[in-house]
Amino acid sequence: GSLPPERTALALVDGPLRILGVEEFPAWGARLDLAMDELRELKVPVAGYTSYPGGKEVTGLLRLALCPRDPPDCPSCDGRPCEEIDGVPDRALFAVVLGEGERSPLFGSEEVSFFYLNTGWEVAKVEVPPWVAEDPALLELVHACVLDQVRKGRGYPVALSEAHELAVIKGRERERFYRMVEEAMVRGGMRAERSMKGMSKRRLGT
């Protein structure tokens, strides 16, 4: 789609929307939920972008649809028709189905929905929360903004690339971090060692 000039704000996350293991850190989970609620109030859509996704959710559904048995009984099935797509990732399917710039229908659950997008470089997976999935205008905005970002980044969203650059820990900051860890280990009665490779990299400031 084309970018609407009046609304181009998008909160884009690298990878899945839900952080694996966040349930073990309630404080962080609460902060993430609060941020999501604030973005929802502001009508700013949120999306998670996964490059080269390996999921098989859609092809898994196709395997069930091809199964001649109800319920499926793989061990007793002779000449299984589902074998043709066994192990095929969703991205391979949608690389054939979608034209450049097109997205798939929405899939997902009550917690998160997703679609596949043919960016022209690859088929990426884009996740959105339910309140974005239920709003056609916000969903179209996500589609348009993500596609625009990928084109500007020549294959990968430029905003995520720049965020990665900003997130890199510089040499001086890394050295300070290592010293803090070493001091904590010494206080705990543990021996702190550094590899020669690591020391060499720190001397070079890389």
Side-chain angles (χ1 to χ4, degrees), residues 175 178 182 193-206:
E175 182 65 23
Y178 281 128
E182 288 174 352
E193 296 181 347
R194 298 193 188 190
S195 70
M196 292 304 297
K197 179 180 179 181
M199 292 174 66
S200 175
K201 290 178 69 175
R202 282 189 282 278
R203 282 197 299 268
L204 294 173
T206 59

Side-chain angles (χ1 to χ4, degrees), residues 87-102:
V88 176
D90 292 348
R91 68 172 186 274
L93 170 67
F94 287 108
V96 177
V97 174
L98 299 175
E100 182 177 341
E102 292 181 340

